């Protein structure tokens, strides 16, 4: 019998679907553990023993702290803290893609408004300013000219704070009204969707409409390469792709992937595939240690 922990800070539709998939399996026992109820002690004797902790936390900061404690205590985690941290930081993610030669839009990173303006001179306009840490299409800005960039950079400098100290700039890609999201589970591209919107930001969190698209040979190659570069062969990953005249470009790689809007259009039972993979990874039988806590 495989013992799994589903680690959450909030139960969304995705987590409910994972729970249903876990409940259907006769070879799995599992707990749903909510971060607000847990005290982590990395050196205490194990009060609960799990073969694997399936991380589904929303908060990057809280999730990384929990994974750090769990892995220090010997837990096998999916995705690991290293993977979550790399996917959660666009600077780290882009560096990993570049090292592996995975195609992505041109990127510049600067740490001052003056350097960011010079970076835009290299990239050209329009360009996209993204928060180094962030999701759901929030705080993105399309910069059409230097006047707009100067005004926005002045706002960031005035606001201050660590989130405004790094300028992550990406060349703007003229999308055909959509971008693509592919799901890679254990090194296999299992399905893909398009996210279509009249707005230039095509996140489903911003109202984009989804439809299934076939996974062609080149998409599969690019997605598997991106997943391997950023997350490794065992990870559960979503890869966001842009279509360009030169082929697919990787926009982002996501570790705590959302999939509620992708099951029906693709016909692929993503939560069951994720659970199957988690059980396979858990076969090593390593324990996860919790200092205290309660099942949600």
């Amino acid at each position: 019998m495989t013992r799994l922990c589903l680690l959450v800070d909030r139960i969304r539709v995705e987590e409910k679907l994972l729970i249903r998939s876990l409940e259907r399996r006769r070879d799995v026992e599992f707990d749903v553990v909510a971060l607000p109820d847990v005290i982590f002690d990395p050196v205490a004797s194990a009060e609960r023993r799990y073969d694997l902790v399936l991380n589904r936390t929303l908060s990057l900061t809280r999730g990384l702290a929990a994974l750090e404690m769990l892995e220090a205590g010997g837990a096998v985690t999916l995705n690991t803290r290293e993977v979550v941290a790399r996917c959660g930081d666009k600077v780290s993610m882009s560096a990993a893609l570049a090292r592996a030669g995975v195609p992505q839009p041109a990127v510049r990173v600067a740490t001052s408004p003056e350097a960011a303006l010079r970076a835009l001179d290299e990239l050209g306009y329009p360009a996209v300013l993204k928060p180094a840490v962030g999701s759901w299409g929030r705080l993105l800005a399309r910069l059409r000219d230097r006047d707009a960039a100067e005004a926005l950079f002045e706002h960031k400098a005035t606001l201050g704070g660590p989130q405004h100290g790094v300028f992550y700039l990406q060349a703007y890609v003229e999308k055909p009204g959509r971008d693509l999201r592919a799901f890679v589970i254990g090194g296999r591209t299992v399905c893909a969707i398009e996210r279509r919107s009249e707005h230039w930001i095509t996140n489903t969190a911003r109202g984009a409409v989804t439809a299934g698209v076939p996974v062609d040979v080149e998409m599969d190659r690019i997605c598997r390469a991106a997943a391997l570069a950023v997350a490794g062969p065992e990870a559960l990953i979503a890869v966001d792709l842009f279509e360009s005249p030169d082929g697919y470009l990787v926009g982002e790689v996501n570790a705590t992937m959302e999939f509620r809007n992708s099951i029906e259009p693709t016909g692929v039972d993503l939560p069951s595939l994720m659970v199957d993979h988690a059980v396979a990874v858990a076969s090593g039988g390593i324990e996860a240690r919790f200092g205290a806590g309660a099942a949600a």
Side-chain angles (χ1 to χ4, degrees):
M1 182 70 69
T2 300
R3 291 276 296 152
L4 294 183
C5 166
L6 186 65
L7 186 66
V8 302
D9 48 13
R10 196 175 82 195
I11 296 179
R12 304 166 296 166
V13 172
E14 281 82 1
E15 285 68 51
K16 291 177 181 178
L17 292 170
L18 287 167
I19 289 168
R20 289 174 194 166
S21 294
L22 287 163
E23 289 173 340
R24 288 195 293 265
R25 295 191 64 121
R26 296 183 180 276
D27 60 340
V28 173
E29 294 179 354
F30 72 97
D31 291 326
V32 181
V33 175
L35 277 184
D37 298 329
V38 181
I39 300 170
F40 296 98
D41 182 345
V43 297
S45 299
E47 293 187 16
R48 290 198 183 101
R49 295 178 185 272
Y50 300 105
D51 299 307
L52 181 133
V53 176
L54 181 57
N55 175 56
R56 291 294 303 175
T57 55
L58 277 173
S59 167
L60 179 63
T61 303
R62 290 194 295 266
L64 289 176
L67 292 170
E68 184 79 58
M69 291 290 96
L70 288 166
E71 292 175 7
V76 173
T77 60
L78 186 68
N79 289 311
T80 66
R81 186 193 185 283
E82 180 182 4
V83 170
V84 173
R86 188 175 295 123
C87 290
D89 182 341
K90 295 180 182 64
V91 176
S92 180
M93 177 201 68
S94 289
L97 292 173
R99 283 194 296 269
V102 177
Q104 60 181 315
V107 168
R108 299 291 186 274
V109 176
T111 57
S112 71
E114 297 77 17
L117 287 171
R118 294 199 305 273
L120 285 173
D121 290 338
E122 295 180 10
L123 283 178
Y125 295 91
V128 177
L129 174 69
K130 295 183 176 182
V133 177
S135 58
W136 295 332
R138 294 177 298 195
L139 297 179
L140 270 62
R142 180 168 55 179
L143 305 173
R144 295 184 179 276
D145 54 41
R146 188 179 180 91
D147 287 343
E150 287 178 344
L152 186 57
F153 293 170
E154 182 181 358
H155 276 80
K156 286 175 66 67
T158 302
L159 287 169
Q163 70 271 32
H164 296 299
V166 174
F167 297 79
Y168 178 92
L169 298 159
Q170 192 177 74
Y172 180 72
V173 178
E174 286 285 355
K175 299 181 286 189
R178 71 176 191 175
D179 68 0
L180 306 174
R181 167 165 286 193
F183 297 89
V184 182
I185 298 178
R188 185 166 67 97
T189 311
V190 298
C191 63
I193 59 169
E194 68 169 15
R195 303 184 296 185
R196 188 171 291 276
S197 174
E198 293 183 2
H199 196 279
W200 70 275
I201 300 175
T202 48
N203 296 67
T204 55
R206 300 284 292 266
V209 177
T210 62
V213 296
V215 177
D216 61 41
V217 172
E218 183 63 9
M219 183 192 300
D220 178 50
R221 185 186 72 80
I222 294 292
C223 288
R224 287 189 292 107
L228 186 62
V230 174
E234 292 187 344
L236 300 167
I237 290 297
V239 181
D240 293 345
L241 298 167
F242 300 137
E243 298 162 286
S244 80
D246 298 321
Y248 295 116
L249 302 174
V250 175
E252 291 187 17
V253 181
N254 302 274
T256 307
M257 56 193 190
E258 296 180 336
F259 52 82
R260 72 180 77 178
N261 297 312
S262 304
I263 298 170
E264 183 176 350
T266 63
V268 175
D269 187 351
L270 284 165
S272 290
L273 289 180
M274 292 169 67
V275 168
D276 289 346
H277 180 63
V279 172
V281 174
S283 61
I286 307 297
E287 66 185 28
R289 299 187 176 98
F290 292 84

